[in-house]
Amino acid sequence: MEYKTIDSIDFTYYNKKTTDLIVYGDLDSSNFSNLKHNKRKHYYNLEFEGDLLYLQRKYPLLYDFILNENLKEYIPKDLNHFGLVVSEESSRVRDVVAYYSSTAKLKKTQEFTDYLNAKYSDTIMPTKDSILIVQAVLDAEGTIKEKFLLHGEEGRFYEFVFGPDEKHEKYMIFFRFFNSYRKISIADIYVRLNPDRTFSVSSTGRGRVLRIKNYKEDPKNPLMYW
């Protein structure tokens, strides 16, 4: 009733954690990642801090409902994997056979986080926002080939995190979401400078839409979407 433009929502609950949300409706997609070829279908990876930020700002009621810890009290203890589709008229449970995470490997993400923590100094302050969200084109090894700022501002802080420093490029090689036969892909990367001057890093390759301006795909090596 609060969000008149939403037709229905569909979220996945796997291993006692809400992992995905799809919002159906004629929505403004300018600030959201949505699935290719379907402007009515807006996907959020709830394991990715960037999508959580978008969801909380645009639909705070949905954010509170989906991530409410009390929700678990109403879920049977033997029901670990399921999907729930909710509309204004009804709701139904759907089966979830398997779930594959599309976030970067924890070890490699931690390496990059540790690198930022070790190299950061108070002279590198964000202009306004301490959060950066970048979309990157990645080769088969996970190296960033092109990037585009989705959230935050360019400046010294941005250059520190995503600049062309050789050592940065070494530590950027951890966004491998696909099997080796997939040659090139896209991912969104979230970096936050916390109040205690430490960094939080999150990333995903699932449900992304290409937003890098003027990017030209190679017909012989097209982008792979998850």
Side-chain angles (χ1 to χ4, degrees), residues 96-117:
V96 173
V97 178
Y99 176 80
Y100 300 96
S101 176
S102 63
T103 54
K105 299 296 185 182
L106 181 60
K107 179 180 177 182
K108 292 296 184 179
T109 302
Q110 191 61 51
E111 286 180 5
F112 181 55
T113 306
D114 291 344
Y115 175 82
L116 294 176
N117 288 337

mmCIF file of all heavy atoms in Angstrom, residues 96-117:
data_model
loop_
_atom_site.group_PDB
_atom_site.id
_atom_site.type_symbol
_atom_site.label_atom_id
_atom_site.label_comp_id
_atom_site.label_asym_id
_atom_site.label_seq_id
_atom_site.Cartn_x
_atom_site.Cartn_y
_atom_site.Cartn_z
ATOM 1 N N VAL A 96 13.522 -23.532 -3.538
ATOM 2 C CA VAL A 96 14.861 -23.106 -3.922
ATOM 3 C C VAL A 96 15.759 -24.333 -3.809
ATOM 4 O O VAL A 96 15.979 -24.858 -2.712
ATOM 5 C CB VAL A 96 15.392 -21.978 -3.009
ATOM 6 C CG1 VAL A 96 16.844 -21.673 -3.337
ATOM 7 C CG2 VAL A 96 14.535 -20.733 -3.168
ATOM 8 N N VAL A 97 16.245 -24.807 -4.928
ATOM 9 C CA VAL A 97 17.045 -26.031 -4.943
ATOM 10 C C VAL A 97 18.472 -25.751 -4.511
ATOM 11 O O VAL A 97 19.052 -26.457 -3.698
ATOM 12 C CB VAL A 97 17.036 -26.675 -6.349
ATOM 13 C CG1 VAL A 97 17.915 -27.918 -6.368
ATOM 14 C CG2 VAL A 97 15.608 -27.001 -6.763
ATOM 15 N N ALA A 98 19.061 -24.683 -5.059
ATOM 16 C CA ALA A 98 20.450 -24.356 -4.733
ATOM 17 C C ALA A 98 20.663 -22.862 -4.886
ATOM 18 O O ALA A 98 19.928 -22.176 -5.606
ATOM 19 C CB ALA A 98 21.411 -25.120 -5.636
ATOM 20 N N TYR A 99 21.658 -22.371 -4.191
ATOM 21 C CA TYR A 99 22.001 -20.950 -4.277
ATOM 22 C C TYR A 99 23.516 -20.832 -4.425
ATOM 23 O O TYR A 99 24.271 -21.455 -3.665
ATOM 24 C CB TYR A 99 21.551 -20.207 -3.023
ATOM 25 C CG TYR A 99 21.977 -18.750 -3.021
ATOM 26 C CD1 TYR A 99 21.254 -17.805 -3.743
ATOM 27 C CD2 TYR A 99 23.105 -18.333 -2.320
ATOM 28 C CE1 TYR A 99 21.643 -16.477 -3.762
ATOM 29 C CE2 TYR A 99 23.492 -17.005 -2.333
ATOM 30 C CZ TYR A 99 22.760 -16.086 -3.056
ATOM 31 O OH TYR A 99 23.151 -14.772 -3.070
ATOM 32 N N TYR A 100 23.937 -20.048 -5.414
ATOM 33 C CA TYR A 100 25.358 -19.853 -5.654
ATOM 34 C C TYR A 100 25.703 -18.392 -5.405
ATOM 35 O O TYR A 100 25.161 -17.493 -6.052
ATOM 36 C CB TYR A 100 25.720 -20.248 -7.086
ATOM 37 C CG TYR A 100 25.404 -21.698 -7.392
ATOM 38 C CD1 TYR A 100 24.213 -22.055 -8.023
ATOM 39 C CD2 TYR A 100 26.291 -22.704 -7.023
ATOM 40 C CE1 TYR A 100 23.915 -23.376 -8.280
ATOM 41 C CE2 TYR A 100 25.999 -24.041 -7.283
ATOM 42 C CZ TYR A 100 24.816 -24.370 -7.917
ATOM 43 O OH TYR A 100 24.517 -25.681 -8.157
ATOM 44 N N SER A 101 26.602 -18.166 -4.469
ATOM 45 C CA SER A 101 26.986 -16.797 -4.136
ATOM 46 C C SER A 101 27.714 -16.151 -5.306
ATOM 47 O O SER A 101 28.482 -16.795 -6.022
ATOM 48 C CB SER A 101 27.896 -16.787 -2.904
ATOM 49 O OG SER A 101 28.346 -15.480 -2.635
ATOM 50 N N SER A 102 27.475 -14.851 -5.508
ATOM 51 C CA SER A 102 28.157 -14.115 -6.575
ATOM 52 C C SER A 102 29.029 -13.019 -5.993
ATOM 53 O O SER A 102 29.347 -12.040 -6.652
ATOM 54 C CB SER A 102 27.132 -13.505 -7.530
ATOM 55 O OG SER A 102 26.332 -12.556 -6.844
ATOM 56 N N THR A 103 29.414 -13.181 -4.734
ATOM 57 C CA THR A 103 30.311 -12.213 -4.119
ATOM 58 C C THR A 103 31.749 -12.707 -4.261
ATOM 59 O O THR A 103 32.012 -13.878 -4.479
ATOM 60 C CB THR A 103 29.987 -12.022 -2.629
ATOM 61 O OG1 THR A 103 29.996 -13.301 -1.985
ATOM 62 C CG2 THR A 103 28.617 -11.389 -2.469
ATOM 63 N N ALA A 104 32.701 -11.763 -4.143
ATOM 64 C CA ALA A 104 34.102 -12.116 -4.307
ATOM 65 C C ALA A 104 34.561 -13.048 -3.200
ATOM 66 O O ALA A 104 33.977 -13.100 -2.121
ATOM 67 C CB ALA A 104 34.955 -10.846 -4.314
ATOM 68 N N LYS A 105 35.612 -13.795 -3.472
ATOM 69 C CA LYS A 105 36.156 -14.722 -2.485
ATOM 70 C C LYS A 105 36.547 -13.962 -1.218
ATOM 71 O O LYS A 105 37.184 -12.918 -1.278
ATOM 72 C CB LYS A 105 37.373 -15.442 -3.050
ATOM 73 C CG LYS A 105 37.085 -16.276 -4.300
ATOM 74 C CD LYS A 105 36.133 -17.418 -4.007
ATOM 75 C CE LYS A 105 35.942 -18.303 -5.229
ATOM 76 N NZ LYS A 105 34.983 -19.382 -4.994
ATOM 77 N N LEU A 106 36.176 -14.522 -0.069
ATOM 78 C CA LEU A 106 36.410 -13.843 1.204
ATOM 79 C C LEU A 106 37.895 -13.559 1.423
ATOM 80 O O LEU A 106 38.272 -12.463 1.863
ATOM 81 C CB LEU A 106 35.866 -14.700 2.347
ATOM 82 C CG LEU A 106 36.023 -14.119 3.754
ATOM 83 C CD1 LEU A 106 35.294 -12.784 3.873
ATOM 84 C CD2 LEU A 106 35.504 -15.101 4.787
ATOM 85 N N LYS A 107 38.760 -14.515 1.121
ATOM 86 C CA LYS A 107 40.185 -14.340 1.348
ATOM 87 C C LYS A 107 40.735 -13.178 0.527
ATOM 88 O O LYS A 107 41.494 -12.344 1.032
ATOM 89 C CB LYS A 107 40.933 -15.631 1.005
ATOM 90 C CG LYS A 107 42.435 -15.525 1.202
ATOM 91 C CD LYS A 107 43.132 -16.829 0.846
ATOM 92 C CE LYS A 107 44.643 -16.691 0.986
ATOM 93 N NZ LYS A 107 45.346 -17.946 0.607
ATOM 94 N N LYS A 108 40.369 -13.114 -0.751
ATOM 95 C CA LYS A 108 40.880 -12.058 -1.625
ATOM 96 C C LYS A 108 40.294 -10.702 -1.258
ATOM 97 O O LYS A 108 40.970 -9.677 -1.327
ATOM 98 C CB LYS A 108 40.574 -12.393 -3.088
ATOM 99 C CG LYS A 108 41.342 -13.584 -3.611
ATOM 100 C CD LYS A 108 42.838 -13.314 -3.610
ATOM 101 C CE LYS A 108 43.633 -14.448 -4.216
ATOM 102 N NZ LYS A 108 45.077 -14.166 -4.222
ATOM 103 N N THR A 109 39.015 -10.688 -0.870
ATOM 104 C CA THR A 109 38.404 -9.444 -0.425
ATOM 105 C C THR A 109 39.130 -8.915 0.816
ATOM 106 O O THR A 109 39.394 -7.719 0.938
ATOM 107 C CB THR A 109 36.916 -9.653 -0.100
ATOM 108 O OG1 THR A 109 36.246 -10.151 -1.256
ATOM 109 C CG2 THR A 109 36.256 -8.352 0.324
ATOM 110 N N GLN A 110 39.471 -9.818 1.722
ATOM 111 C CA GLN A 110 40.181 -9.425 2.937
ATOM 112 C C GLN A 110 41.574 -8.900 2.626
ATOM 113 O O GLN A 110 42.053 -7.957 3.264
ATOM 114 C CB GLN A 110 40.274 -10.607 3.901
ATOM 115 C CG GLN A 110 40.767 -10.223 5.292
ATOM 116 C CD GLN A 110 39.843 -9.224 5.973
ATOM 117 O OE1 GLN A 110 38.645 -9.442 6.044
ATOM 118 N NE2 GLN A 110 40.403 -8.110 6.441
ATOM 119 N N GLU A 111 42.223 -9.461 1.621
ATOM 120 C CA GLU A 111 43.546 -8.972 1.211
ATOM 121 C C GLU A 111 43.464 -7.513 0.753
ATOM 122 O O GLU A 111 44.306 -6.690 1.123
ATOM 123 C CB GLU A 111 44.104 -9.838 0.082
ATOM 124 C CG GLU A 111 44.599 -11.199 0.517
ATOM 125 C CD GLU A 111 45.136 -12.011 -0.646
ATOM 126 O OE1 GLU A 111 45.204 -11.468 -1.772
ATOM 127 O OE2 GLU A 111 45.488 -13.186 -0.438
ATOM 128 N N PHE A 112 42.467 -7.223 -0.036
ATOM 129 C CA PHE A 112 42.310 -5.854 -0.525
ATOM 130 C C PHE A 112 41.941 -4.909 0.615
ATOM 131 O O PHE A 112 42.457 -3.783 0.701
ATOM 132 C CB PHE A 112 41.245 -5.820 -1.625
ATOM 133 C CG PHE A 112 41.021 -4.455 -2.211
ATOM 134 C CD1 PHE A 112 42.078 -3.731 -2.730
ATOM 135 C CD2 PHE A 112 39.765 -3.892 -2.240
ATOM 136 C CE1 PHE A 112 41.881 -2.469 -3.280
ATOM 137 C CE2 PHE A 112 39.555 -2.637 -2.781
ATOM 138 C CZ PHE A 112 40.619 -1.925 -3.296
ATOM 139 N N THR A 113 41.058 -5.357 1.500
ATOM 140 C CA THR A 113 40.675 -4.549 2.663
ATOM 141 C C THR A 113 41.891 -4.262 3.538
ATOM 142 O O THR A 113 42.100 -3.123 3.982
ATOM 143 C CB THR A 113 39.590 -5.260 3.487
ATOM 144 O OG1 THR A 113 38.487 -5.605 2.642
ATOM 145 C CG2 THR A 113 39.090 -4.379 4.622
ATOM 146 N N ASP A 114 42.699 -5.283 3.788
ATOM 147 C CA ASP A 114 43.910 -5.105 4.604
ATOM 148 C C ASP A 114 44.871 -4.125 3.941
ATOM 149 O O ASP A 114 45.527 -3.326 4.632
ATOM 150 C CB ASP A 114 44.601 -6.450 4.815
ATOM 151 C CG ASP A 114 43.807 -7.383 5.713
ATOM 152 O OD1 ASP A 114 42.894 -6.898 6.414
ATOM 153 O OD2 ASP A 114 44.090 -8.590 5.694
ATOM 154 N N TYR A 115 44.958 -4.192 2.620
ATOM 155 C CA TYR A 115 45.846 -3.272 1.890
ATOM 156 C C TYR A 115 45.398 -1.825 2.085
ATOM 157 O O TYR A 115 46.204 -0.935 2.378
ATOM 158 C CB TYR A 115 45.850 -3.633 0.402
ATOM 159 C CG TYR A 115 46.640 -2.671 -0.449
ATOM 160 C CD1 TYR A 115 48.023 -2.782 -0.546
ATOM 161 C CD2 TYR A 115 46.013 -1.643 -1.152
ATOM 162 C CE1 TYR A 115 48.753 -1.901 -1.320
ATOM 163 C CE2 TYR A 115 46.731 -0.759 -1.919
ATOM 164 C CZ TYR A 115 48.103 -0.890 -2.006
ATOM 165 O OH TYR A 115 48.824 -0.011 -2.770
ATOM 166 N N LEU A 116 44.101 -1.575 1.946
ATOM 167 C CA LEU A 116 43.576 -0.221 2.135
ATOM 168 C C LEU A 116 43.802 0.257 3.566
ATOM 169 O O LEU A 116 44.203 1.406 3.795
ATOM 170 C CB LEU A 116 42.082 -0.177 1.795
ATOM 171 C CG LEU A 116 41.694 -0.426 0.336
ATOM 172 C CD1 LEU A 116 40.176 -0.453 0.189
ATOM 173 C CD2 LEU A 116 42.291 0.629 -0.590
ATOM 174 N N ASN A 117 43.546 -0.618 4.526
ATOM 175 C CA ASN A 117 43.741 -0.247 5.933
ATOM 176 C C ASN A 117 45.191 0.117 6.220
ATOM 177 O O ASN A 117 45.474 1.059 6.977
ATOM 178 C CB ASN A 117 43.313 -1.402 6.844
ATOM 179 C CG ASN A 117 41.808 -1.590 6.879
ATOM 180 O OD1 ASN A 117 41.039 -0.664 6.601
ATOM 181 N ND2 ASN A 117 41.374 -2.794 7.212
#
